[in-house]
Amino acid sequence: MRFLTRGLVGLLLLAIMASTISYGVYRVYVAMNKEEASRRSPVSERTYAVNAAGLVAETVTPVTTAYGQIESWRSLEIRASSEGLLVGVASKFRDGASVLGGELLVRIDPADAQSGLLDAQAGLADAEAQKAEADEAIVVAEQELDAARKQQVLRRQALDRQLQLREKGYSTMVQVEQEQLSLAALEQAMSNRLQSAITARKKIERMELVVERAQISVEDAKRTLEETTITAPFAGTLDQVNGTLGRRVTPSETLAVLIDPTALEVRFSVSTGQFSRFLDENGSLIQVPIVAELDLGERTISIPGTLDRAAAVVAAGEAGRSLYASLDVSPDTALRPGDFVTVKLEEPALDNVVVIPASAASEDGRILVVGDDDRLEDARVRVLRRMGDELVVADVPFGRVYVRERLPHLGAGLKVTPRLVDEDATAPALGSEKPLPEVAEDLVVLEPARRDALIARLNKSRIPEDRKAQLLDLLKQPEVSAKLVDRLESGGQRGGERS
């Protein structure tokens, strides 16, 4: 009986202990669930901050960029006109030297040219003497012809008298025949005198031609003598100089090339699509302004000009068109034929378009616009031009706000917080579907000591140099952003605590 009582009491105590342990485990479980539930925050939708701008219609003048080479349309080869020694060479007669129009370049030995001139002058004097002799000969021939004509008249009169006397019986037939023979002989002599006069006249004409040829020879000899002194026909720069004192030159030998520095143009190539932008309705080339830029390392020289003409033919294997543009250069320009330059051409203006960053659009021309409840929407635009890092687009939803950077994690339906990054987007366009958010910033005036402390703190920081330069420019302004000041001061304090 006592054993049974003790067994029941042990079972009861065991049951009480198991119940107590179960209750403790239950309380611990409930407490842990409550603590986890209290720590868990309510779930909210994630939003992304994006750089945005407004789509405002504007008129844009696109710029086409091409690459070309400088050429000279006025260059002259200076050649020797005769053979001889170079007895004079100008000090400027060297590559790259600038000369003025009419300035002496080289002088060829004039001895041969002077001898040729004297010979031509002697020939002219001889021709003039022969012409004078022919003039005197024609006078004598004409006098003899006149005398023969008078004798003919007298002989004809004598023949007539003999015929009259023969009719009256006072003369014989023999006397008549003698007069006839004398008249025939005189007529023959007169024919010879006439032929001599004609020959004398023709000789005068021939001598006049001989004199003209002699005069031409004299002029040629004078010109040859003058050409022994070679001068610059126009102001320019010398190139390929090949002449030294004492050197013998041959006729038509090239001594140098004279280039006019003001007669420069640029030849460049464009694609067929780009070429079509510079044609009017009739297919004629438009004279648009251009700018040629010569890159000299740290310096770039810009030369204005005008689109002039297109190349006459398309070279084999060449695509597009080759164009020429005249340049407005001064004589002291730094451009030289052969320079490679960047050519920028102004295209006709485009109306009702928008210029956006290239990063804002996808390859197929889609951009993200901010819709109702700050959610992104896809919009397709038509890309008209690509200008470096910018695009000129049309068929856009004017008045809406678009995302300037189409990042990979952004897509239609996401909720964003737009931040305007340009001044033009702070004012919404008329009739916009969604008003643009306003950007307000508090500005404070810094005391000199506080400004110097902030600048010193910024110089000690480890931020990138370009960002540091931008912040320094902002700190030097009369009014500085309060957020910037707080960020710099709080950053410095935290840095001091970490140190």
Side-chain angles (χ1 to χ4, degrees):
M1 189 66 184
R2 187 179 295 176
F3 175 77
L4 182 58
T5 302
R6 290 178 180 179
L8 293 174
V9 171
L11 290 174
L12 179 62
L13 293 175
L14 183 61
I16 294 172
M17 183 179 62
S19 301
T20 304
I21 293 173
S22 299
Y23 180 74
V25 172
Y26 170 75
R27 294 294 298 174
V28 171
Y29 175 76
V30 171
M32 291 179 64
N33 287 339
K34 287 184 178 180
E35 184 178 358
E36 185 178 356
S38 62
R39 291 180 181 179
R40 187 178 301 168
S41 59
V43 178
S44 59
E45 183 180 2
R46 183 177 181 180
T47 60
Y48 297 91
V50 294
N51 295 328
L55 294 172
V56 181
E58 56 182 326
T59 299
V60 178
T61 301
V63 176
T64 297
T65 302
Y67 301 93
Q69 188 174 11
I70 299 297
E71 296 180 356
S72 175
W73 54 265
R74 189 184 185 192
S75 59
L76 175 67
E77 290 185 350
I78 298 176
R79 296 178 177 269
S81 59
S82 59
E83 183 179 1
L85 297 176
L86 294 181
V87 296
V89 177
S91 59
K92 290 184 178 180
F93 194 65
R94 58 187 63 185
D95 286 342
S98 298
V99 295
L100 301 177
E103 188 172 356
L104 175 64
L105 299 180
V106 294
R107 187 190 302 275
I108 303 175
D109 188 3
D112 294 339
Q114 289 175 349
S115 299
L117 177 60
L118 294 176
D119 188 17
Q121 289 175 344
L124 176 61
D126 184 33
E128 290 177 345
Q130 292 181 12
K131 181 177 181 299
E133 182 180 352
D135 291 338
E136 295 176 356
I138 188 63
V139 173
V140 175
E142 289 179 350
Q143 290 177 354
E144 292 179 353
L145 180 61
D146 291 339
R149 288 174 178 171
K150 292 178 181 180
Q151 291 178 6
Q152 182 184 15
V153 172
L154 295 176
R155 286 293 182 184
R156 191 174 295 280
Q157 292 176 355
L159 177 60
D160 292 339
R161 285 194 299 271
Q162 289 295 330
L163 291 174
Q164 292 176 0
L165 292 175
R166 174 74 177 83
E167 292 177 355
K168 293 179 179 181
Y170 296 106
S171 177
T172 62
M173 189 64 185
V174 175
Q175 292 177 341
V176 174
E177 290 177 353
Q178 289 179 352
E179 291 296 334
Q180 289 177 346
L181 291 174
S182 299
L183 180 60
L186 186 58
E187 289 179 350
Q188 180 67 34
M190 190 179 65
S191 298
N192 294 335
R193 297 290 186 273
L194 180 60
Q195 183 65 36
S196 299
I198 294 174
T199 302
R201 292 191 187 97
K202 295 299 181 181
K203 185 176 181 181
I204 291 176
E205 294 178 359
R206 289 195 300 271
M207 293 312 302
E208 288 178 350
L209 295 176
V210 172
V211 171
E212 290 181 1
R213 291 193 185 97
Q215 291 175 348
I216 294 174
S217 298
V218 171
E219 295 297 330
D220 290 341
K222 289 181 179 180
R223 184 170 59 254
T224 302
L225 180 60
E226 292 175 355
E227 289 177 350
T228 57
T229 300
I230 301 177
T231 59
F234 55 85
T237 305
L238 293 174
D239 186 32
Q240 303 178 21
V241 175
N242 182 25
T244 55
L245 188 64
R247 178 175 176 271
R248 177 172 290 277
V249 296
T250 58
S252 299
E253 181 179 354
T254 302
L255 301 179
V257 176
L258 183 62
I259 301 173
D260 188 353
T262 62
L264 298 181
E265 60 185 9
V266 56
R267 174 175 178 156
F268 55 96
S269 298
V270 296
S271 64
T272 306
Q274 292 173 335
F275 177 69
S276 64
R277 302 172 189 171
F278 302 101
L279 300 178
D280 57 13
E281 297 178 355
N282 298 325
S284 301
L285 196 64
I286 303 175
Q287 307 295 320
V288 299
I290 67 103
V291 175
E293 295 182 351
L294 176 63
D295 187 7
L296 298 178
E298 298 180 355
R299 184 179 177 184
T300 300
I301 298 178
S302 299
I303 305 297
T306 306
L307 185 61
D308 189 12
R309 65 193 186 279
V313 296
V314 179
E318 181 179 348
R321 292 292 188 275
S322 294
L323 303 179
Y324 292 88
S326 58
L327 300 177
D328 301 330
V329 294
S330 58
D332 57 348
T333 179
L335 290 179
R336 291 293 183 270
D339 282 336
F340 287 93
V341 295
T342 302
V343 183
K344 295 183 177 179
L345 302 87
E346 292 186 6
E347 301 180 17
L350 301 176
D351 298 327
N352 295 324
V353 296
V354 180
V355 179
I356 64 174
S359 58
S362 61
E363 292 296 330
D364 56 352
R366 290 182 294 110
I367 63 174
L368 294 175
V369 296
V370 181
D372 298 336
D373 196 22
D374 290 337
R375 295 190 180 276
L376 296 180
E377 300 177 359
D378 257 335
R380 185 175 295 276
V381 297
R382 182 163 54 95
V383 179
L384 300 180
R385 299 288 187 274
R386 295 183 181 270
M387 301 185 302
D389 295 334
E390 295 181 333
L391 302 177
V392 179
V393 297
D395 299 339
V396 299
F398 294 115
R400 302 285 296 275
V401 177
Y402 75 99
V403 179
R404 292 174 56 88
E405 295 176 325
R406 189 184 179 97
L407 300 176
H409 62 272
L410 298 179
L414 292 180
K415 190 171 184 179
V416 295
T417 302
R419 295 182 302 180
L420 297 179
V421 296
D422 57 339
E423 296 179 356
D424 295 338
T426 57
L430 295 179
S432 60
E433 298 180 7
K434 181 179 179 60
L436 303 178
E438 297 182 356
V439 177
E441 189 174 7
D442 295 334
L443 301 177
V444 295
V445 179
L446 295 178
E447 297 179 357
R450 189 180 181 187
R451 188 189 305 272
D452 295 340
L454 291 175
I455 292 176
R457 184 174 299 170
L458 183 60
N459 289 328
K460 294 180 181 179
S461 63
R462 297 181 180 179
I463 63 176
E465 293 298 330
D466 54 348
R467 179 60 177 166
K468 183 184 295 186
Q470 295 177 359
L471 296 178
L472 288 175
D473 292 338
L474 294 177
L475 288 177
K476 294 177 182 180
Q477 299 296 326
E479 295 182 350
V480 185
S481 171
K483 293 182 180 180
L484 176 60
V485 175
D486 294 340
R487 187 165 66 251
L488 292 176
E489 291 180 345
S490 61
Q493 294 171 2
R494 290 194 297 269
E497 295 171 359
R498 287 194 301 268
S499 62

